[in-house]
């Protein structure tokens, strides 16, 4: 399925039924109208998540054997970037339509229970800090509190990290959302609407069949689940910054042809330094975006041919994602600087974009540590544990 197939066409004057497929453009219009609400609430509410479902976003990572679309990564990432052009928080929450790729590592019978009510299931989680769990017959007794559960307010299923330790990846324990307490402590500047609250679990038993290791071998044998899951999650976050950067460039370009400034200086479009820096920012952005999608499409094509993903290919996916996120943030700062004094007002759209983009670059999957791991792969020495 391509990205455009999510744009379910309907007549302009038609009102689709409440459960009918929804064109992506209609979703984008709703996001644009409500993005201030998302910031105020500090989460994207469930009725908006329901619209994402109607647009097919939360079945994009669901296996076809359970009625999902198992969409090619590049197609889904372009949708995330398009939403981010309108609002970063909404795109971040929508990006977890990819998170069901993690669930493909669960036993197939468990997955069948998750998708029993349909393929449009929202999974969110918080793995860290991983908490010790007491072993019991057939499972674990889970207690603890975890941070950064983006999108938890609209999720049907929530995962938390248990076990782990030095050099050992934690295991994710999956619960119905009703069995997990959401601690509403998301008080930040940037991506405020993602609802990345803490999760708390008190004395809840989880059976072994409801646990998996993030990035573990998938049970589902479909092409999407042979794509590196951790790399994919880094890429959905990077796509948010790509969309934000496109919006920033569009905004400052539109500003350039406006009226003469209050000081009587020429329009920005008439200033050579403005044109030069804008062109440089455009070139940086397009270069980073092109490599990002080229790496994704190259690896997925190899998977479709039946090839295994190599460590070098996975490292390139991580490196190109980090580069895309970081370059996009630089481009956004350049756009902010080129916008001049007008951009300092709190309600100027570039204010929100700058803040959101800085939060994206702080994510561990896109940190400067990725450069160390990628450099190690390039020179042929062992990277740090867990990379890529």
């Amino acid at each position: 399925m391509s990205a455009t197939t999510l744009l379910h066409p309907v007549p302009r004057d038609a009102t689709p039924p409440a459960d009918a497929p929804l064109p992506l453009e209609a979703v984008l219009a709703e996001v644009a109208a409500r993005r201030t609400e998302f910031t105020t609430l500090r989460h994207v509410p469930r009725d908006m998540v329901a619209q994402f479902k109607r647009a097919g976003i939360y079945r994009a990572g669901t296996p076809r054997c359970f009625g999902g679309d198992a969409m090619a990564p590049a197609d889904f990432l372009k949708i995330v970037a398009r939403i981010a052009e309108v609002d970063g928080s909404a795109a971040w929450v929508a990006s977890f339509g990819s998170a069901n790729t993690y669930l493909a590592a669960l036993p197939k019978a468990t997955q069948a229970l998750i998708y029993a009510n349909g393929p449009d299931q929202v999974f969110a989680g918080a793995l860290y800090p991983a908490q010790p769990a007491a072993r019991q017959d057939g499972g674990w007794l889970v207690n603890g509190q975890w941070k950064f559960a983006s999108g938890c307010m609209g999720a049907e299923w929530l995962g938390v990290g248990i076990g782990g330790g030095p050099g050992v990846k934690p295991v994710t324990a999956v619960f119905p959302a009703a069995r997990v307490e959401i601690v509403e402590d998301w008080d930040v500047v940037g991506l405020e609407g993602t609802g990345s609250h803490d999760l708390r679990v008190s004395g809840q038993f989880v059976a072994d069949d409801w646990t998996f290791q993030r990035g573990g071998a998938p049970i589902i044998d479909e092409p999407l689940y042979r794509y590196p899951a951790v790399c994919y999650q880094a890429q959905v976050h990077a796509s948010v910054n790509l969309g934000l950067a496109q919006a920033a460039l569009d905004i400052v370009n539109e500003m350039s042809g406006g009226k003469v400034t209050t000081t009587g200086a020429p329009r920005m479009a008439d200033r050579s330094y403005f044109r030069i820096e804008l062109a440089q920012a455009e070139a940086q952005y397009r270069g980073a975006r092109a490599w990002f999608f080229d790496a994704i499409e190259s690896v997925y094509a190899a998977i479709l041919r039946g090839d295994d993903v190599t460590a070098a290919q996975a490292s390139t996916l991580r490196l190109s994602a980090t580069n895309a996120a970081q370059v996009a943030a630089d481009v956004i700062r350049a756009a902010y600087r080129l916008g001049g004094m007008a951009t300092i007002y709190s309600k100027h759209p570039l204010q929100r974009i700058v803040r959101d983009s800085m939060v994206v670059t702080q994510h561990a999957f896109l940190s400067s540590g990725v450069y160390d791991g990628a450099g190690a792969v390039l020179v042929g020495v062992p990277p740090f544990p867990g990379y890529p």
Side-chain angles (χ1 to χ4, degrees):
M1 174 183 280
S2 69
T4 55
T5 58
L6 276 188
L7 310 182
H8 304 288
V10 294
R12 289 182 180 274
D13 57 350
T15 301
D19 59 349
L22 193 64
L24 183 60
E25 292 303 322
V27 175
L28 296 176
E30 183 78 4
V31 169
R34 299 179 63 183
R35 57 193 172 202
T36 301
E37 175 193 349
F38 305 157
T39 299
T40 301
L41 291 174
R42 294 183 295 147
H43 69 271
V44 175
R46 283 188 176 270
D47 69 304
M48 190 71 243
V49 172
Q51 293 197 40
F52 288 156
K53 289 183 179 182
R54 289 175 59 194
I57 288 168
Y58 285 107
R59 65 177 56 196
T62 299
R64 296 187 182 195
C65 63
F66 293 117
D69 292 337
M71 184 180 291
D75 292 338
F76 182 72
L77 294 167
K78 288 172 183 176
I79 293 167
V80 174
R82 182 69 187 90
I83 298 171
E85 290 181 40
V86 181
D87 181 61
S89 290
W92 193 269
V93 171
S95 78
F96 285 90
S98 66
N100 290 0
T101 55
Y102 283 150
L103 299 179
L106 287 167
K108 197 166 184 178
T110 303
Q111 294 183 57
L113 292 172
I114 288 173
Y115 299 117
N117 292 323
D120 303 297
Q121 299 295 312
V122 183
F123 171 64
L127 265 65
Y128 297 100
Q131 302 291 333
R135 184 67 183 163
Q136 294 194 343
D137 186 29
W140 304 87
L141 186 65
V142 181
N143 290 278
Q145 187 162 327
W146 297 261
K147 301 196 71 64
F148 304 125
S150 297
C152 62
M153 300 293 282
E156 286 92 17
W157 306 92
L158 294 170
V160 296
I162 59 174
V168 179
K169 292 181 179 179
V171 168
T172 301
V174 179
F175 294 95
R179 292 179 59 191
V180 180
E181 178 187 356
I182 296 174
V183 182
E184 296 189 36
D185 61 351
W186 186 241
D187 184 12
V188 294
V189 177
L191 293 181
E192 297 99 320
T194 61
S196 303
H197 301 297
D198 283 12
L199 300 181
R200 182 183 292 152
V201 174
S202 302
Q204 294 282 346
F205 175 79
V206 60
D208 288 330
D209 283 352
W210 286 83
T211 66
F212 67 90
Q213 192 168 73
R214 185 172 68 178
I219 300 298
I220 303 300
D221 186 20
E222 295 179 17
L224 177 60
Y225 309 101
R226 296 195 290 272
Y227 191 84
V230 172
C231 295
Y232 196 17
Q233 295 311 304
Q235 289 165 343
V236 296
H237 300 325
S239 291
V240 173
N241 256 15
L242 287 174
L244 291 170
Q246 182 63 67
L249 289 170
D250 291 344
I251 289 167
V252 76
N253 201 352
E254 183 177 351
M255 292 172 65
S256 70
K259 298 178 180 179
V260 174
T261 66
T262 55
T263 63
R267 298 179 309 164
M268 291 187 292
D270 296 326
R271 307 176 200 179
S272 62
Y273 80 84
F274 177 90
R275 298 192 298 266
I276 290 169
E277 291 192 37
L278 180 63
Q280 289 174 332
E282 181 79 16
Q284 285 181 294
Y285 170 73
R286 290 190 177 275
R289 183 184 174 106
W291 182 35
F292 177 73
F293 282 109
D294 179 71
I296 293 162
E297 290 167 354
S298 176
V299 170
Y300 201 64
I303 290 172
L304 294 176
R305 291 194 302 267
D307 299 339
D308 292 331
V309 178
T310 67
Q313 287 175 318
S315 181
T316 298
L317 294 178
R318 291 294 304 276
L319 180 58
S320 61
T322 299
N323 180 70
Q326 299 286 348
V327 169
D330 291 342
V331 166
I332 290 165
R333 286 194 294 269
Y336 176 80
R337 183 177 64 252
L338 287 171
M341 285 294 289
T343 63
I344 71 171
Y345 289 94
S346 60
K347 292 186 178 180
H348 194 281
L350 281 175
Q351 283 285 340
R352 171 179 51 83
I353 290 172
V354 169
R355 296 195 304 271
D356 288 352
S357 70
M358 293 300 99
V359 176
V360 174
T361 60
Q362 297 298 94
H363 195 281
F365 279 0
L366 302 170
S367 70
S368 57
V370 172
Y371 293 113
D372 176 40
V377 172
L378 289 171
V379 299
V381 301
F384 58 82
Y387 182 87

